[in-house]
mmCIF file of all heavy atoms in Angstrom:
data_model
loop_
_atom_site.group_PDB
_atom_site.id
_atom_site.type_symbol
_atom_site.label_atom_id
_atom_site.label_comp_id
_atom_site.label_asym_id
_atom_site.label_seq_id
_atom_site.Cartn_x
_atom_site.Cartn_y
_atom_site.Cartn_z
ATOM 1 N N GLU A 1 6.053 -20.495 -9.633
ATOM 2 C CA GLU A 1 7.299 -20.943 -9.011
ATOM 3 C C GLU A 1 8.447 -19.952 -9.190
ATOM 4 O O GLU A 1 9.505 -20.115 -8.573
ATOM 5 C CB GLU A 1 7.698 -22.307 -9.579
ATOM 6 C CG GLU A 1 6.692 -23.409 -9.261
ATOM 7 C CD GLU A 1 7.086 -24.738 -9.861
ATOM 8 O OE1 GLU A 1 8.083 -24.774 -10.622
ATOM 9 O OE2 GLU A 1 6.405 -25.745 -9.584
ATOM 10 N N GLY A 2 8.244 -18.939 -9.999
ATOM 11 C CA GLY A 2 9.300 -17.958 -10.228
ATOM 12 C C GLY A 2 9.125 -16.716 -9.388
ATOM 13 O O GLY A 2 8.419 -16.704 -8.377
ATOM 14 N N ASN A 3 9.779 -15.644 -9.809
ATOM 15 C CA ASN A 3 9.689 -14.348 -9.128
ATOM 16 C C ASN A 3 8.513 -13.553 -9.682
ATOM 17 O O ASN A 3 8.342 -13.440 -10.903
ATOM 18 C CB ASN A 3 10.978 -13.555 -9.335
ATOM 19 C CG ASN A 3 12.157 -14.210 -8.669
ATOM 20 O OD1 ASN A 3 12.221 -14.288 -7.451
ATOM 21 N ND2 ASN A 3 13.093 -14.708 -9.472
ATOM 22 N N PHE A 4 7.731 -12.995 -8.786
ATOM 23 C CA PHE A 4 6.535 -12.253 -9.187
ATOM 24 C C PHE A 4 6.471 -10.953 -8.405
ATOM 25 O O PHE A 4 6.589 -10.946 -7.174
ATOM 26 C CB PHE A 4 5.278 -13.081 -8.906
ATOM 27 C CG PHE A 4 3.990 -12.381 -9.253
ATOM 28 C CD1 PHE A 4 3.513 -12.397 -10.558
ATOM 29 C CD2 PHE A 4 3.263 -11.702 -8.290
ATOM 30 C CE1 PHE A 4 2.331 -11.756 -10.887
ATOM 31 C CE2 PHE A 4 2.081 -11.058 -8.608
ATOM 32 C CZ PHE A 4 1.612 -11.083 -9.915
ATOM 33 N N LEU A 5 6.299 -9.845 -9.115
ATOM 34 C CA LEU A 5 6.125 -8.538 -8.479
ATOM 35 C C LEU A 5 4.875 -7.883 -9.038
ATOM 36 O O LEU A 5 4.706 -7.779 -10.251
ATOM 37 C CB LEU A 5 7.332 -7.638 -8.737
ATOM 38 C CG LEU A 5 7.233 -6.225 -8.161
ATOM 39 C CD1 LEU A 5 7.155 -6.261 -6.641
ATOM 40 C CD2 LEU A 5 8.399 -5.359 -8.624
ATOM 41 N N LEU A 6 4.021 -7.423 -8.146
ATOM 42 C CA LEU A 6 2.799 -6.716 -8.520
ATOM 43 C C LEU A 6 2.959 -5.252 -8.144
ATOM 44 O O LEU A 6 3.060 -4.904 -6.963
ATOM 45 C CB LEU A 6 1.596 -7.334 -7.801
ATOM 46 C CG LEU A 6 0.237 -6.648 -7.979
ATOM 47 C CD1 LEU A 6 -0.120 -6.505 -9.454
ATOM 48 C CD2 LEU A 6 -0.838 -7.419 -7.234
ATOM 49 N N VAL A 7 3.006 -4.395 -9.149
ATOM 50 C CA VAL A 7 3.089 -2.951 -8.957
ATOM 51 C C VAL A 7 1.710 -2.374 -9.261
ATOM 52 O O VAL A 7 1.127 -2.683 -10.309
ATOM 53 C CB VAL A 7 4.130 -2.318 -9.890
ATOM 54 C CG1 VAL A 7 4.215 -0.811 -9.664
ATOM 55 C CG2 VAL A 7 5.493 -2.978 -9.692
ATOM 56 N N THR A 8 1.183 -1.569 -8.360
ATOM 57 C CA THR A 8 -0.137 -0.998 -8.614
ATOM 58 C C THR A 8 -0.101 0.518 -8.515
ATOM 59 O O THR A 8 0.599 1.091 -7.661
ATOM 60 C CB THR A 8 -1.200 -1.567 -7.657
ATOM 61 O OG1 THR A 8 -2.492 -1.040 -8.026
ATOM 62 C CG2 THR A 8 -0.895 -1.240 -6.202
ATOM 63 N N GLN A 9 -0.837 1.150 -9.403
ATOM 64 C CA GLN A 9 -1.052 2.589 -9.334
ATOM 65 C C GLN A 9 -2.213 2.931 -8.409
ATOM 66 O O GLN A 9 -2.428 4.106 -8.113
ATOM 67 C CB GLN A 9 -1.345 3.130 -10.732
ATOM 68 C CG GLN A 9 -0.198 2.976 -11.715
ATOM 69 C CD GLN A 9 -0.603 3.353 -13.126
ATOM 70 O OE1 GLN A 9 -1.342 2.633 -13.780
ATOM 71 N NE2 GLN A 9 -0.120 4.485 -13.603
ATOM 72 N N ASN A 10 -2.941 1.920 -7.974
ATOM 73 C CA ASN A 10 -4.131 2.142 -7.155
ATOM 74 C C ASN A 10 -3.770 2.326 -5.691
ATOM 75 O O ASN A 10 -2.850 1.681 -5.185
ATOM 76 C CB ASN A 10 -5.093 0.961 -7.316
ATOM 77 C CG ASN A 10 -5.517 0.766 -8.752
ATOM 78 O OD1 ASN A 10 -5.588 1.728 -9.526
ATOM 79 N ND2 ASN A 10 -5.774 -0.465 -9.136
ATOM 80 N N ILE A 11 -4.527 3.151 -5.000
ATOM 81 C CA ILE A 11 -4.256 3.416 -3.593
ATOM 82 C C ILE A 11 -5.197 2.637 -2.679
ATOM 83 O O ILE A 11 -5.141 2.794 -1.462
ATOM 84 C CB ILE A 11 -4.328 4.927 -3.284
ATOM 85 C CG1 ILE A 11 -5.718 5.497 -3.589
ATOM 86 C CG2 ILE A 11 -3.259 5.677 -4.072
ATOM 87 C CD1 ILE A 11 -5.867 6.964 -3.177
ATOM 88 N N ASP A 12 -6.050 1.785 -3.236
ATOM 89 C CA ASP A 12 -6.909 0.936 -2.420
ATOM 90 C C ASP A 12 -6.142 -0.297 -1.962
ATOM 91 O O ASP A 12 -4.989 -0.499 -2.327
ATOM 92 C CB ASP A 12 -8.173 0.531 -3.196
ATOM 93 C CG ASP A 12 -7.846 -0.220 -4.485
ATOM 94 O OD1 ASP A 12 -7.295 -1.344 -4.388
ATOM 95 O OD2 ASP A 12 -8.129 0.296 -5.578
ATOM 96 N N ASN A 13 -6.803 -1.131 -1.148
ATOM 97 C CA ASN A 13 -6.149 -2.332 -0.601
ATOM 98 C C ASN A 13 -6.738 -3.623 -1.158
ATOM 99 O O ASN A 13 -6.645 -4.675 -0.530
ATOM 100 C CB ASN A 13 -6.268 -2.336 0.928
ATOM 101 C CG ASN A 13 -7.714 -2.487 1.406
ATOM 102 O OD1 ASN A 13 -8.659 -2.242 0.653
ATOM 103 N ND2 ASN A 13 -7.876 -2.878 2.660
ATOM 104 N N LEU A 14 -7.318 -3.572 -2.354
ATOM 105 C CA LEU A 14 -8.021 -4.735 -2.891
ATOM 106 C C LEU A 14 -7.068 -5.866 -3.258
ATOM 107 O O LEU A 14 -7.427 -7.045 -3.143
ATOM 108 C CB LEU A 14 -8.878 -4.326 -4.086
ATOM 109 C CG LEU A 14 -10.033 -3.381 -3.758
ATOM 110 C CD1 LEU A 14 -10.825 -3.033 -5.008
ATOM 111 C CD2 LEU A 14 -10.948 -3.989 -2.704
ATOM 112 N N HIS A 15 -5.872 -5.561 -3.705
ATOM 113 C CA HIS A 15 -4.911 -6.637 -4.004
ATOM 114 C C HIS A 15 -4.558 -7.408 -2.736
ATOM 115 O O HIS A 15 -4.530 -8.644 -2.733
ATOM 116 C CB HIS A 15 -3.646 -6.060 -4.635
ATOM 117 C CG HIS A 15 -3.795 -5.692 -6.075
ATOM 118 N ND1 HIS A 15 -4.185 -6.602 -7.042
ATOM 119 C CD2 HIS A 15 -3.594 -4.509 -6.712
ATOM 120 C CE1 HIS A 15 -4.211 -5.997 -8.219
ATOM 121 N NE2 HIS A 15 -3.864 -4.734 -8.050
ATOM 122 N N GLU A 16 -4.291 -6.681 -1.655
ATOM 123 C CA GLU A 16 -3.952 -7.339 -0.398
ATOM 124 C C GLU A 16 -5.135 -8.137 0.136
ATOM 125 O O GLU A 16 -4.960 -9.254 0.642
ATOM 126 C CB GLU A 16 -3.503 -6.309 0.634
ATOM 127 C CG GLU A 16 -2.146 -5.689 0.374
ATOM 128 C CD GLU A 16 -2.182 -4.514 -0.586
ATOM 129 O OE1 GLU A 16 -3.255 -4.241 -1.170
ATOM 130 O OE2 GLU A 16 -1.154 -3.858 -0.773
ATOM 131 N N ARG A 17 -6.321 -7.596 0.028
ATOM 132 C CA ARG A 17 -7.510 -8.320 0.514
ATOM 133 C C ARG A 17 -7.757 -9.591 -0.298
ATOM 134 O O ARG A 17 -8.289 -10.573 0.224
ATOM 135 C CB ARG A 17 -8.728 -7.402 0.453
ATOM 136 C CG ARG A 17 -8.743 -6.310 1.512
ATOM 137 C CD ARG A 17 -9.908 -5.370 1.328
ATOM 138 N NE ARG A 17 -11.185 -6.087 1.376
ATOM 139 C CZ ARG A 17 -12.351 -5.532 1.086
ATOM 140 N NH1 ARG A 17 -12.401 -4.258 0.702
ATOM 141 N NH2 ARG A 17 -13.463 -6.241 1.151
ATOM 142 N N ALA A 18 -7.343 -9.576 -1.564
ATOM 143 C CA ALA A 18 -7.508 -10.767 -2.398
ATOM 144 C C ALA A 18 -6.470 -11.831 -2.081
ATOM 145 O O ALA A 18 -6.629 -12.984 -2.482
ATOM 146 C CB ALA A 18 -7.433 -10.386 -3.873
ATOM 147 N N GLY A 19 -5.396 -11.445 -1.380
ATOM 148 C CA GLY A 19 -4.370 -12.410 -1.009
ATOM 149 C C GLY A 19 -3.008 -12.166 -1.616
ATOM 150 O O GLY A 19 -2.076 -12.940 -1.372
ATOM 151 N N SER A 20 -2.839 -11.108 -2.400
ATOM 152 C CA SER A 20 -1.527 -10.792 -2.968
ATOM 153 C C SER A 20 -0.582 -10.361 -1.853
ATOM 154 O O SER A 20 -0.975 -9.635 -0.932
ATOM 155 C CB SER A 20 -1.636 -9.685 -4.016
ATOM 156 O OG SER A 20 -2.340 -10.134 -5.156
ATOM 157 N N ARG A 21 0.678 -10.789 -1.971
ATOM 158 C CA ARG A 21 1.645 -10.499 -0.921
ATOM 159 C C ARG A 21 2.761 -9.566 -1.374
ATOM 160 O O ARG A 21 3.162 -8.673 -0.642
ATOM 161 C CB ARG A 21 2.262 -11.815 -0.415
ATOM 162 C CG ARG A 21 1.266 -12.731 0.289
ATOM 163 C CD ARG A 21 1.858 -14.090 0.585
ATOM 164 N NE ARG A 21 2.242 -14.807 -0.628
ATOM 165 C CZ ARG A 21 2.649 -16.077 -0.644
ATOM 166 N NH1 ARG A 21 2.726 -16.761 0.485
ATOM 167 N NH2 ARG A 21 2.968 -16.664 -1.785
ATOM 168 N N ASN A 22 3.280 -9.783 -2.581
ATOM 169 C CA ASN A 22 4.413 -8.986 -3.061
ATOM 170 C C ASN A 22 3.884 -7.819 -3.892
ATOM 171 O O ASN A 22 3.914 -7.831 -5.126
ATOM 172 C CB ASN A 22 5.357 -9.862 -3.887
ATOM 173 C CG ASN A 22 6.719 -9.218 -4.068
ATOM 174 O OD1 ASN A 22 7.082 -8.308 -3.354
ATOM 175 N ND2 ASN A 22 7.470 -9.707 -5.044
ATOM 176 N N VAL A 23 3.379 -6.798 -3.188
ATOM 177 C CA VAL A 23 2.706 -5.664 -3.822
ATOM 178 C C VAL A 23 3.465 -4.379 -3.495
ATOM 179 O O VAL A 23 3.806 -4.132 -2.335
ATOM 180 C CB VAL A 23 1.252 -5.525 -3.332
ATOM 181 C CG1 VAL A 23 0.548 -4.389 -4.076
ATOM 182 C CG2 VAL A 23 0.495 -6.834 -3.481
ATOM 183 N N LEU A 24 3.706 -3.559 -4.513
ATOM 184 C CA LEU A 24 4.273 -2.228 -4.323
ATOM 185 C C LEU A 24 3.247 -1.196 -4.780
ATOM 186 O O LEU A 24 2.808 -1.224 -5.930
ATOM 187 C CB LEU A 24 5.561 -2.056 -5.133
ATOM 188 C CG LEU A 24 6.756 -2.921 -4.732
ATOM 189 C CD1 LEU A 24 7.945 -2.611 -5.630
ATOM 190 C CD2 LEU A 24 7.129 -2.704 -3.270
ATOM 191 N N HIS A 25 2.882 -0.282 -3.885
ATOM 192 C CA HIS A 25 1.948 0.798 -4.211
ATOM 193 C C HIS A 25 2.759 2.022 -4.632
ATOM 194 O O HIS A 25 3.201 2.806 -3.799
ATOM 195 C CB HIS A 25 1.083 1.129 -2.995
ATOM 196 C CG HIS A 25 0.029 0.118 -2.705
ATOM 197 N ND1 HIS A 25 -1.279 0.256 -3.155
ATOM 198 C CD2 HIS A 25 0.079 -1.044 -2.017
ATOM 199 C CE1 HIS A 25 -1.986 -0.784 -2.735
ATOM 200 N NE2 HIS A 25 -1.184 -1.586 -2.049
ATOM 201 N N MET A 26 2.927 2.206 -5.929
ATOM 202 C CA MET A 26 3.774 3.293 -6.399
ATOM 203 C C MET A 26 3.143 4.663 -6.162
ATOM 204 O O MET A 26 3.854 5.677 -6.136
ATOM 205 C CB MET A 26 4.127 3.108 -7.879
ATOM 206 C CG MET A 26 2.961 3.117 -8.832
ATOM 207 S SD MET A 26 3.493 2.930 -10.568
ATOM 208 C CE MET A 26 4.396 4.462 -10.844
ATOM 209 N N HIS A 27 1.826 4.722 -6.003
ATOM 210 C CA HIS A 27 1.146 5.994 -5.742
ATOM 211 C C HIS A 27 0.663 6.115 -4.304
ATOM 212 O O HIS A 27 -0.138 6.988 -4.002
ATOM 213 C CB HIS A 27 -0.025 6.173 -6.704
ATOM 214 C CG HIS A 27 0.405 6.433 -8.116
ATOM 215 N ND1 HIS A 27 -0.451 6.347 -9.196
ATOM 216 C CD2 HIS A 27 1.613 6.793 -8.629
ATOM 217 C CE1 HIS A 27 0.216 6.620 -10.306
ATOM 218 N NE2 HIS A 27 1.462 6.894 -9.991
ATOM 219 N N GLY A 28 1.149 5.239 -3.435
ATOM 220 C CA GLY A 28 0.783 5.335 -2.032
ATOM 221 C C GLY A 28 -0.434 4.500 -1.687
ATOM 222 O O GLY A 28 -0.941 3.728 -2.503
ATOM 223 N N GLU A 29 -0.900 4.680 -0.449
ATOM 224 C CA GLU A 29 -1.999 3.873 0.068
ATOM 225 C C GLU A 29 -3.010 4.743 0.818
ATOM 226 O O GLU A 29 -2.630 5.539 1.683
ATOM 227 C CB GLU A 29 -1.462 2.788 0.997
ATOM 228 C CG GLU A 29 -0.509 1.827 0.309
ATOM 229 C CD GLU A 29 0.041 0.780 1.252
ATOM 230 O OE1 GLU A 29 -0.760 -0.020 1.771
ATOM 231 O OE2 GLU A 29 1.264 0.787 1.481
ATOM 232 N N LEU A 30 -4.254 4.550 0.496
ATOM 233 C CA LEU A 30 -5.324 5.343 1.083
ATOM 234 C C LEU A 30 -5.471 5.089 2.582
ATOM 235 O O LEU A 30 -5.876 5.978 3.339
ATOM 236 C CB LEU A 30 -6.643 5.023 0.373
ATOM 237 C CG LEU A 30 -7.884 5.830 0.749
ATOM 238 C CD1 LEU A 30 -7.658 7.310 0.481
ATOM 239 C CD2 LEU A 30 -9.084 5.327 -0.041
ATOM 240 N N LEU A 31 -5.126 3.900 3.035
ATOM 241 C CA LEU A 31 -5.298 3.533 4.438
ATOM 242 C C LEU A 31 -4.032 3.777 5.252
ATOM 243 O O LEU A 31 -3.797 3.124 6.270
ATOM 244 C CB LEU A 31 -5.735 2.068 4.552
ATOM 245 C CG LEU A 31 -7.032 1.716 3.824
ATOM 246 C CD1 LEU A 31 -7.406 0.263 4.062
ATOM 247 C CD2 LEU A 31 -8.175 2.631 4.261
ATOM 248 N N LYS A 32 -3.235 4.738 4.812
ATOM 249 C CA LYS A 32 -2.046 5.149 5.551
ATOM 250 C C LYS A 32 -1.953 6.672 5.564
ATOM 251 O O LYS A 32 -2.394 7.337 4.625
ATOM 252 C CB LYS A 32 -0.778 4.549 4.939
ATOM 253 C CG LYS A 32 -0.693 3.024 5.039
ATOM 254 C CD LYS A 32 0.611 2.506 4.477
ATOM 255 C CE LYS A 32 0.663 0.983 4.486
ATOM 256 N NZ LYS A 32 0.646 0.440 5.856
ATOM 257 N N MET A 33 -1.386 7.191 6.641
ATOM 258 C CA MET A 33 -1.094 8.619 6.747
ATOM 259 C C MET A 33 0.394 8.787 7.045
ATOM 260 O O MET A 33 1.053 7.859 7.526
ATOM 261 C CB MET A 33 -1.926 9.259 7.859
ATOM 262 C CG MET A 33 -3.432 9.177 7.645
ATOM 263 S SD MET A 33 -4.010 10.155 6.240
ATOM 264 C CE MET A 33 -3.901 11.819 6.927
ATOM 265 N N ARG A 34 0.920 9.986 6.769
ATOM 266 C CA ARG A 34 2.345 10.227 6.959
ATOM 267 C C ARG A 34 2.560 11.527 7.724
ATOM 268 O O ARG A 34 1.890 12.537 7.457
ATOM 269 C CB ARG A 34 3.045 10.300 5.603
ATOM 270 C CG ARG A 34 4.541 10.419 5.691
ATOM 271 C CD ARG A 34 5.214 10.208 4.343
ATOM 272 N NE ARG A 34 5.134 11.348 3.460
ATOM 273 C CZ ARG A 34 4.466 11.372 2.311
ATOM 274 N NH1 ARG A 34 3.783 10.295 1.920
ATOM 275 N NH2 ARG A 34 4.459 12.432 1.542
ATOM 276 N N CYS A 35 3.494 11.486 8.693
ATOM 277 C CA CYS A 35 3.836 12.681 9.463
ATOM 278 C C CYS A 35 4.712 13.598 8.613
ATOM 279 O O CYS A 35 5.706 13.160 8.032
ATOM 280 C CB CYS A 35 4.556 12.286 10.749
ATOM 281 S SG CYS A 35 5.147 13.709 11.718
ATOM 282 N N LEU A 36 4.376 14.862 8.555
ATOM 283 C CA LEU A 36 5.139 15.813 7.757
ATOM 284 C C LEU A 36 6.507 16.097 8.362
ATOM 285 O O LEU A 36 7.430 16.507 7.650
ATOM 286 C CB LEU A 36 4.352 17.124 7.621
ATOM 287 C CG LEU A 36 3.080 17.049 6.770
ATOM 288 C CD1 LEU A 36 2.283 18.337 6.904
ATOM 289 C CD2 LEU A 36 3.421 16.788 5.321
ATOM 290 N N ASN A 37 6.660 15.889 9.661
ATOM 291 C CA ASN A 37 7.941 16.151 10.324
ATOM 292 C C ASN A 37 8.897 14.969 10.233
ATOM 293 O O ASN A 37 10.022 15.083 9.764
ATOM 294 C CB ASN A 37 7.719 16.530 11.795
ATOM 295 C CG ASN A 37 7.100 17.898 11.946
ATOM 296 O OD1 ASN A 37 7.230 18.751 11.076
ATOM 297 N ND2 ASN A 37 6.412 18.123 13.059
ATOM 298 N N SER A 38 8.436 13.801 10.691
ATOM 299 C CA SER A 38 9.315 12.627 10.771
ATOM 300 C C SER A 38 9.260 11.739 9.533
ATOM 301 O O SER A 38 10.117 10.886 9.352
ATOM 302 C CB SER A 38 8.934 11.791 11.995
ATOM 303 O OG SER A 38 7.653 11.188 11.803
ATOM 304 N N GLN A 39 8.223 11.905 8.697
ATOM 305 C CA GLN A 39 7.960 11.044 7.536
ATOM 306 C C GLN A 39 7.579 9.623 7.938
ATOM 307 O O GLN A 39 7.564 8.722 7.089
ATOM 308 C CB GLN A 39 9.169 11.013 6.580
ATOM 309 C CG GLN A 39 9.545 12.377 6.022
ATOM 310 C CD GLN A 39 8.395 13.047 5.279
ATOM 311 O OE1 GLN A 39 7.765 12.452 4.417
ATOM 312 N NE2 GLN A 39 8.092 14.299 5.640
ATOM 313 N N MET A 40 7.286 9.410 9.203
ATOM 314 C CA MET A 40 6.787 8.105 9.647
ATOM 315 C C MET A 40 5.400 7.866 9.073
ATOM 316 O O MET A 40 4.601 8.802 8.932
ATOM 317 C CB MET A 40 6.764 8.026 11.169
ATOM 318 C CG MET A 40 8.134 7.978 11.815
ATOM 319 S SD MET A 40 8.057 7.761 13.620
ATOM 320 C CE MET A 40 7.332 6.102 13.711
ATOM 321 N N VAL A 41 5.119 6.607 8.736
ATOM 322 C CA VAL A 41 3.847 6.237 8.105
ATOM 323 C C VAL A 41 3.022 5.413 9.081
ATOM 324 O O VAL A 41 3.546 4.516 9.750
ATOM 325 C CB VAL A 41 4.103 5.440 6.806
ATOM 326 C CG1 VAL A 41 2.785 5.016 6.169
ATOM 327 C CG2 VAL A 41 4.926 6.283 5.829
ATOM 328 N N PHE A 42 1.726 5.713 9.164
ATOM 329 C CA PHE A 42 0.833 5.059 10.108
ATOM 330 C C PHE A 42 -0.388 4.505 9.391
ATOM 331 O O PHE A 42 -0.888 5.117 8.439
ATOM 332 C CB PHE A 42 0.347 6.048 11.183
ATOM 333 C CG PHE A 42 1.455 6.762 11.899
ATOM 334 C CD1 PHE A 42 1.847 8.030 11.496
ATOM 335 C CD2 PHE A 42 2.109 6.159 12.964
ATOM 336 C CE1 PHE A 42 2.868 8.701 12.157
ATOM 337 C CE2 PHE A 42 3.132 6.818 13.633
ATOM 338 C CZ PHE A 42 3.508 8.084 13.228
ATOM 339 N N ASP A 43 -0.868 3.357 9.837
ATOM 340 C CA ASP A 43 -2.144 2.837 9.356
ATOM 341 C C ASP A 43 -3.269 3.715 9.873
ATOM 342 O O ASP A 43 -3.210 4.249 10.986
ATOM 343 C CB ASP A 43 -2.362 1.407 9.840
ATOM 344 C CG ASP A 43 -1.397 0.421 9.207
ATOM 345 O OD1 ASP A 43 -0.946 0.677 8.073
ATOM 346 O OD2 ASP A 43 -1.095 -0.598 9.845
ATOM 347 N N ILE A 44 -4.297 3.869 9.062
ATOM 348 C CA ILE A 44 -5.433 4.705 9.450
ATOM 349 C C ILE A 44 -6.721 4.100 8.921
ATOM 350 O O ILE A 44 -6.764 3.617 7.784
ATOM 351 C CB ILE A 44 -5.245 6.163 8.952
ATOM 352 C CG1 ILE A 44 -6.325 7.077 9.492
ATOM 353 C CG2 ILE A 44 -5.191 6.217 7.429
ATOM 354 C CD1 ILE A 44 -6.208 7.367 10.950
ATOM 355 N N ARG A 45 -7.746 4.087 9.733
ATOM 356 C CA ARG A 45 -9.065 3.601 9.318
ATOM 357 C C ARG A 45 -10.152 4.647 9.545
ATOM 358 O O ARG A 45 -11.160 4.664 8.865
ATOM 359 C CB ARG A 45 -9.439 2.324 10.082
ATOM 360 C CG ARG A 45 -8.545 1.109 9.777
ATOM 361 C CD ARG A 45 -8.702 0.654 8.356
ATOM 362 N NE ARG A 45 -7.980 -0.572 8.063
ATOM 363 C CZ ARG A 45 -6.703 -0.611 7.706
ATOM 364 N NH1 ARG A 45 -5.999 0.518 7.614
ATOM 365 N NH2 ARG A 45 -6.104 -1.765 7.450
ATOM 366 N N GLU A 46 -9.933 5.511 10.518
ATOM 367 C CA GLU A 46 -10.956 6.494 10.867
ATOM 368 C C GLU A 46 -10.762 7.784 10.072
ATOM 369 O O GLU A 46 -9.742 7.983 9.412
ATOM 370 C CB GLU A 46 -10.927 6.788 12.364
ATOM 371 C CG GLU A 46 -9.661 7.470 12.854
ATOM 372 C CD GLU A 46 -8.566 6.508 13.221
ATOM 373 O OE1 GLU A 46 -8.678 5.304 12.907
ATOM 374 O OE2 GLU A 46 -7.549 6.964 13.812
#
């Protein structure tokens, strides 16, 4: 019933797949890529 924050050093998506919602990936995410020019972040699977 209180405030909960999950910080992970892992770059996998297992917390989200388990159902966690308030997750911060401090080391980034393996299933995302970033443009070197715009710094925009995109989901990636392939």
Side-chain angles (χ1 to χ4, degrees):
E1 296 178 354
N3 294 293
F4 178 83
L5 178 63
L6 175 55
V7 181
T8 184
Q9 296 172 288
N10 301 330
I11 61 175
D12 59 65
N13 66 341
L14 294 180
H15 283 303
E16 289 84 353
R17 287 175 58 188
S20 292
R21 294 171 298 188
N22 196 17
V23 184
L24 294 180
H25 286 264
M26 62 179 294
H27 289 166
E29 299 178 63
L30 185 60
L31 302 183
K32 294 183 184 295
M33 298 293 285
R34 185 169 78 246
C35 175
L36 291 171
N37 289 335
S38 69
Q39 300 303 310
M40 290 184 65
V41 178
F42 306 97
D43 292 332
I44 187 71
R45 294 294 186 274
E46 66 273 11

